[in-house]
Amino acid sequence: MWRRCGDTSADYNYYTKRILFNSAYAATELFMLTDQSPQRFATWQFLGRRMGDIEALGRGISDVKVVGEALFDGALSLLNIFKTPTAY
């Protein structure tokens, strides 16, 4: 599915995307087994919520990355302040 969407990742994203998709797919299939709504309307709503959860998770991970990079850059700047000067 991801390849058909143009995904070419070869790192850890390859696995995380597939785990997220497969978990949403499996949960939706199980929900659909008990859905008695007309045209499986409740299943479509359930799937929409799962896709929203995955999207929110992606945004959260991105935010954590930004904060982590800022902390790392700040720590490096702090270390540079205390670096011993080189003799000329």
Side-chain angles (χ1 to χ4, degrees):
M1 179 65 123
W2 287 108
R3 292 280 186 228
R4 301 277 286 162
C5 293
D7 179 43
T8 58
S9 63
D11 55 355
Y12 72 93
N13 285 320
Y14 176 87
Y15 300 101
T16 56
K17 288 177 183 177
R18 280 145 185 84
I19 289 169
L20 290 172
F21 176 79
N22 288 336
S23 63
Y25 180 81
T28 303
E29 283 285 332
L30 290 173
F31 186 90
M32 188 173 68
L33 291 174
T34 60
D35 183 11
Q36 299 297 318
S37 65
Q39 298 178 347
R40 306 257 190 241
F41 183 74
T43 299
W44 287 107
Q45 287 182 323
F46 181 85
L47 176 60
R49 289 191 303 273
R50 296 300 70 80
M51 294 287 102
D53 292 345
I54 290 171
E55 189 177 339
L57 179 65
R59 281 192 307 269
I61 289 171
S62 177
D63 292 347
V64 168
K65 271 185 176 177
V66 169
V67 169
E69 288 170 358
L71 287 172
F72 183 73
D73 289 344
L76 283 180
S77 295
L78 202 69
L79 289 174
N80 282 332
I81 291 173
F82 297 110
K83 185 170 73 172
T84 55
T86 57
Y88 292 100

